């Protein structure tokens, strides 16, 4: 019991660098005491705003800020139906803000509240992408020069759209249809490169271009650098099983999102056939899809997006569950995790003994200005500041200078299609 209560809960929307970010601010009965939490679901931000303002705010005003566990549990079931991305993001914004407040009241960083640091700093991985392997190699070398040792590599598939590399995303000529893919495949196989072909994804050309990329990176950068790759759930599962076996020779640090969450059970097949380290989790929201992956040791790295499961409170419990099964943490850390969310990731990165790696989408200039206290990254690691709470703030006046822009299709995630026009999970 702290006798400090929740006075108000506000949502701050800002996109300093063209990524829509959602921050929850809890103001308390102590005039200068407030907390910040990340509730960023960049494809559905206004749904999260409604979930916070219309439902959690009236439910929570007046509650004691000390009772994070009780607030989390009661909020989680206050909607009766639960475990979805919108309500979990709303809950995360509140939860992370309460951990921020608790740290400020205790005069301790959140990682100390959780039991202190198990490491000096959290190793991060960064993204190297390019239209072809040589460009990816060059970007990787630049990043290695900057002190990064873990690098996610993604390249284009000539003639098709591929996740993780903008150059290849274009629009498909609808009237071409399947005939188009025959032509594309024939020209692709003849090595003819395309400039910005349609937003069409074909599994086999992607797999060939990815294997070619790993071959190039290993033959030019050697085994020293740790390379990671994100399949982004796009290929038919049985091709994923084969791909995991084919990449074993390249000693990836991990292969990510080999399957869609709906195909979780295919991980069992991969486990029985190869030792490629597997990472999965950014698309998970519910304990029902997460727990089997851990208890059956189907993956090596748990990559949930912390605000998608409801914040630090479930995050710390998931980290502990993973430790019992030797699954390491690798919290999702893209550009659509706000710096507040990265600070929350970092608190668990520093505290959890079974930390694996932290994804880090390099903070852009304006984002750093809007969020004073962005976690420091140097020598390939993210460092705790030692400041109380999450150690980060938001300049609301500056944030207001970057309101959400109008977006085509409401800001929906890419619609990716096969050459025959059928939809691909993106
Ligand atoms: C990653 C992710 C992201 C997601 C994005 C969705 O590994 O960082 O795959 O790139 O696609 O966060 O909004
Ligand atoms: Mg991913």
């Amino acid at each position: 019991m702290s006798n400090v209560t929740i006075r108000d809960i506000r949502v701050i929307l800002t996109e300093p660098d063209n990524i829509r970010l959602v921050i929850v601010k809890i103001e308390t009965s102590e005039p200068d005491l407030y907390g910040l939490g990340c509730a960023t679901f960049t494809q559905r931000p206004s749904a999260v705003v409604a979930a916070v303002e219309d439902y959690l705010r009236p439910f929570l005003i007046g509650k004691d800020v000390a009772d994070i566990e009780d607030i989390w549990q009661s909020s989680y079931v206050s909607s009766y139906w639960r475990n979805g991305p919108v309500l979990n993001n709303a809950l995360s914004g509140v939860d992370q803000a309460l951990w921020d407040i608790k740290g400020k009241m205790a005069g301790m960083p959140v990682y100390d509240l959780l039991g202190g640091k198990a490491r000096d700093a959290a190793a991060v991985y960064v993204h190297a992408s390019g239209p072809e392997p040589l460009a990816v190699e060059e970007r990787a070398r630049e990043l290695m020069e900057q002190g990064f040792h873990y690098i996610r590599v993604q390249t284009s598939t000539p003639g098709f759209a591929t996740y993780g590399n903008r150059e290849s995303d274009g629009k498909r000529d609808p009237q071409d249809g399947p005939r188009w893919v025959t032509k594309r495949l024939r020209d692709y196989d003849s090595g003819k490169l395309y400039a910005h072909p349609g937003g069409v994804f074909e599994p086999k050309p992607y797999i060939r271009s990815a294997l070619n990329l790993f071959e190039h990176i290993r033959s030019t950068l050697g085994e020293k650098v740790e390379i990671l790759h994100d399949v982004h759930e796009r290929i038919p599962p049985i091709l994923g099983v084969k791909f995991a076996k084919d990449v074993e020779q390249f000693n990836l640090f991990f292969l990510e999102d080999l399957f869609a969450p709906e195909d979780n059970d295919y991980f069992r097949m991969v486990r029985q056939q190869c030792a490629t380290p597997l990472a999965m989790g950014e698309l998970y929201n519910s304990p029902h899809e997460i727990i089997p992956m851990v208890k059956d040791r189907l993956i090596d790295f748990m990559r949930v997006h912390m605000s998608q499961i409801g914040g630090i409170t479930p995050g710390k419990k998931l980290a502990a569950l993973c430790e019992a099964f030797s699954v390491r943490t690798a919290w999702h850390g893209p550009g659509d995790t706000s710096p507040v969310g990265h600070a929350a990731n970092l608190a668990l990165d520093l505290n959890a003994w079974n930390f694996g790696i932290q994804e880090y989408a390099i903070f852009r200039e304006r984002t750093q200005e809007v969020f004073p206290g962005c976690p420091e990254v140097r020598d390939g690691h993210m460092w705790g500041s030692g400041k109380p709470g999450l150690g980060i703030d938001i300049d609301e006046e500056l944030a207001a200078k970057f309101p959400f822009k109008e977006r085509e299709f409401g800001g929906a995630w890419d619609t990716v299609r096969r050459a025959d026009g059928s939809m691909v999970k993106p």
Side-chain angles (χ1 to χ4, degrees):
M1 197 70 171
S2 72
N3 298 321
V4 176
T5 56
I6 294 173
R7 174 168 56 82
D8 196 9
I9 301 177
R10 295 192 291 113
V11 183
I12 301 162
L13 304 179
T14 185
E15 59 165 293
D17 285 300
N18 303 314
I19 299 178
R20 299 187 292 188
L21 304 176
V22 183
I23 304 299
V24 169
K25 181 168 191 174
I26 292 185
E27 292 168 339
T28 74
S29 49
E30 295 291 309
D32 301 330
L33 178 62
Y34 62 87
L36 298 176
C38 183
T40 299
F41 179 5
T42 202
Q43 291 83 1
R44 293 292 182 272
S46 27
V48 176
V49 174
V52 175
E53 292 184 347
D54 300 349
Y55 304 106
L56 289 184
R57 182 172 178 277
F59 181 71
L60 294 173
I61 285 194
K63 287 195 191 293
D64 189 315
V65 298
D67 304 333
I68 301 177
E69 185 64 24
D70 183 67
I71 285 174
W72 195 93
Q73 297 292 353
S74 54
S75 303
Y76 177 59
V77 298
S78 64
S79 52
Y80 191 63
W81 280 277
R82 49 193 179 261
N83 295 327
V86 173
L87 298 180
N88 278 359
N89 270 283
L91 186 45
S92 166
V94 167
D95 179 75
Q96 292 184 2
L98 290 172
W99 279 102
D100 190 20
I101 288 167
K102 192 176 280 290
K104 288 174 177 174
M105 290 173 74
M108 295 163 77
V110 170
Y111 53 79
D112 276 345
L113 294 178
L114 296 170
K117 295 199 318 189
R119 60 192 51 75
D120 298 331
V124 297
Y125 76 85
V126 285
H127 299 174
S129 62
E132 80 284 317
L134 185 60
V136 181
E137 175 207 337
E138 283 162 4
R139 180 61 183 142
R141 286 185 190 281
E142 284 167 17
L143 293 166
M144 290 162 75
E145 284 292 306
Q146 294 168 29
F148 294 106
H149 179 64
Y150 297 82
I151 298 178
R152 188 188 82 171
V153 292
Q154 309 283 146
T155 192
S156 292
T157 305
F160 298 94
T162 308
Y163 164 74
N165 194 58
R166 281 280 149 236
E167 281 82 345
S168 62
D169 289 356
K171 293 286 167 276
R172 157 185 179 278
D173 298 337
Q175 76 276 4
D176 280 357
R179 191 169 35 85
W180 181 90
V181 72
T182 322
K183 181 175 176 323
R184 276 278 189 275
L185 286 172
R186 191 184 56 233
D187 291 341
Y188 170 74
D189 287 342
S190 67
K192 202 169 160 190
L193 294 183
Y194 287 90
H196 311 296
V200 171
F201 174 85
E202 280 296 320
K204 292 281 180 73
Y206 153 72
I207 290 171
R208 285 198 292 267
S209 60
L211 291 172
N212 182 35
L213 170 65
F214 304 146
E215 182 66 51
H216 178 88
I217 293 293
R218 278 302 184 219
S219 60
T220 53
L221 299 181
E223 288 292 328
K224 284 190 312 297
V225 64
E226 290 284 5
I227 56 175
L228 306 85
H229 184 73
D230 191 348
V231 179
H232 219 262
E233 67 168 334
R234 284 195 178 181
I235 57 183
I238 195 60
L239 295 187
V241 176
K242 176 76 169 55
F243 185 53
K245 292 163 70 177
D246 290 345
V247 305
E248 195 170 14
Q249 61 183 304
F250 299 114
N251 301 313
L252 298 187
F253 183 76
F254 68 47
L255 187 63
E256 175 192 336
D257 287 22
L258 184 59
F259 306 121
E262 296 77 14
D263 293 319
N264 270 345
D265 250 19
Y266 271 92
F267 280 104
R268 295 181 197 285
M269 268 191 220
V270 179
R271 270 326 210 206
Q272 288 145 14
Q273 299 187 42
C274 75
T276 295
L278 301 169
M280 183 75 182
E282 67 182 63
L283 276 163
Y284 291 160
N285 298 108
S286 162
H288 306 305
E289 54 193 347
I290 293 171
I291 292 169
M293 303 308 289
V294 179
K295 76 177 181 61
D296 296 344
R297 295 178 171 88
L298 297 180
I299 53 174
D300 303 285
F301 295 91
M302 176 52 74
R303 288 196 74 258
V304 299
H305 184 110
M306 200 176 301
S307 65
Q308 291 286 352
I309 61 168
I312 291 170
T313 297
K316 71 184 178 68
K317 295 173 183 176
L318 177 53
L321 174 71
C322 286
E323 180 182 332
F325 293 89
S326 299
V327 174
R328 287 172 280 171
T329 64
W331 309 112
H332 188 217
D336 48 300
T337 291
S338 71
V340 177
H342 279 273
N345 286 344
L346 179 58
L348 284 174
D349 291 340
L350 294 174
N351 168 255
W353 177 77
N354 57 317
F355 165 76
I357 191 76
Q358 176 57 58
E359 180 178 21
Y360 168 53
I362 299 170
F363 300 130
R364 305 261 179 84
E365 205 60 38
R366 288 196 302 206
T367 298
Q368 298 194 48
E369 285 158 18
V370 171
F371 293 93
C374 275
E376 183 196 5
V377 175
R378 61 180 156 80
D379 304 330
H381 288 72
M382 193 178 274
W383 298 79
S385 65
K387 288 188 199 137
L390 292 173
I392 193 163
D393 205 345
I394 184 167
D395 178 334
E396 288 198 57
E397 220 175 291
L398 190 55
K401 293 200 166 89
F402 305 110
F404 281 2
K405 299 184 185 71
E406 276 306 303
R407 276 180 168 72
E408 240 189 341
F409 317 121
W413 184 243
D414 300 350
T415 300
V416 181
R417 295 186 183 280
R418 296 285 298 265
D420 67 3
S422 56
M423 227 283 297
V424 171
K425 288 180 182 170

